[in-house]
Amino acid sequence: GENVEQHPSTLSVQEGDSAVIKCTYSDSASNYFPWYKQELGKGPQLIIDIRSNVGEKKDQRIAVTLNKTAKHFSLHITETQPEDSAVYFCAASRDAGKSTFGDGTTLTVKP
Amino acid sequence: GAVVSQHPSRVICKSGTSVKIECRSLDFQATTMFWYRQFPKQSLMLMATSNEGSKATYEQGVEKDKFLINHASLTLSTLTVTSAHPEDSSFYICSGTDRGYGYTFGSGTRLTVV
């Protein structure tokens, strides 16, 4: 089955700096790669996603890049703000099937 | 955007009783609903996958007689924890998708069994 590894497990940045979280996956058939933000006591919220036919996608301060050959994808958050502090999960899936999640990254943005 | 309404958000029950958790897709048809369990500071663990009108597919190690899943309509799926015990205490989350066009998560249910 699919295996997703996520790094780092914790990340602390100063407000205004950029944050990068990386994930690798094992199943070359995976074609959908979402990123979720989870705040304490809440369900994950989709913040950005990318499909395998695209290499990069951007939405304001958030961007995701995908390297299909290397089987890795990354989340980039620029101009970080304290409200970006949360746990971020990457995931991989294919053809509307079940998602495999990374172990999560706890991001702390210090004011 | 797509919304999945999950209730209750918190529930405390006595050991041996059953608890039902509901997830409703409000503005889309959830052809598939995934049910997850999450322990503190850990990732989401898939428990089962249910397609509307058919029996759920459970992941290895998940007791199907203990965690009953019903997906009778395209907008409603339920998870019933039967004969709950303290070790069933956890955060349960559902996620619905309409044929894979994105996955929308519910807000989660914190179950505490005393």
Side-chain angles (χ1 to χ4, degrees), chain A residues 17-66:
Chain A
D17 288 350
S18 295
V20 180
I21 304 170
K22 299 182 179 182
C23 286
T24 60
Y25 61 99
S26 61
D27 186 353
S28 56
S30 289
N31 54 15
Y32 178 63
F33 308 93
W35 285 91
Y36 298 95
K37 176 183 181 182
Q38 187 177 27
E39 297 176 335
L40 196 63
K42 298 183 180 179
Q45 267 195 308
L46 178 71
I47 55 171
I48 196 166
D49 57 9
I50 192 167
R51 295 188 183 269
S52 58
N53 58 346
V54 176
E56 184 174 354
K57 185 176 177 182
K58 191 173 180 181
D59 182 4
Q60 298 183 343
R61 298 187 295 110
I62 296 172
V64 56
T65 58
L66 170 66

Side-chain angles (χ1 to χ4, degrees), chain A residues 32 34 36 38 41-46 49 51 89 93-99 101-104, chain B residues 32 34 36 38 41-44 46 49 59 91 93 97 99-103 105-108 110:
Chain A
Y32 178 63
Y36 298 95
Q38 187 177 27
K42 298 183 180 179
Q45 267 195 308
L46 178 71
D49 57 9
R51 295 188 183 269
F89 291 98
S93 64
R94 60 165 163 158
D95 302 331
K98 59 186 180 182
S99 299
F101 287 82
D103 287 339
Chain B
T32 302
F34 301 94
Y36 297 89
Q38 188 178 33
K41 302 195 178 191
Q42 291 190 24
S43 190
L44 287 79
L46 181 67
T49 302
E59 295 298 302
F91 193 55
I93 313 170
T97 184
R99 294 162 291 167
Y101 293 106
Y103 300 80
F105 283 85
S107 53
R110 171 72 59 195

Side-chain angles (χ1 to χ4, degrees), chain B residues 14-77:
Chain B
K14 290 186 177 180
S15 190
T17 61
S18 296
V19 173
K20 181 184 281 189
I21 301 169
E22 284 191 356
C23 281
R24 292 180 184 272
S25 56
L26 298 185
D27 47 6
F28 71 103
Q29 294 184 325
T31 52
T32 302
M33 194 72 81
F34 301 94
W35 286 92
Y36 297 89
R37 185 173 180 176
Q38 188 178 33
F39 292 104
K41 302 195 178 191
Q42 291 190 24
S43 190
L44 287 79
M45 182 190 79
L46 181 67
M47 298 174 66
T49 302
S50 74
N51 294 301
E52 182 264 339
S54 58
K55 288 185 178 180
T57 302
Y58 290 81
E59 295 298 302
Q60 193 172 9
V62 178
E63 299 174 62
K64 62 181 180 181
D65 294 331
K66 181 168 190 61
F67 299 100
L68 301 179
I69 291 171
N70 185 285
H71 194 170
S73 78
L74 286 170
T75 59
L76 175 63
S77 179

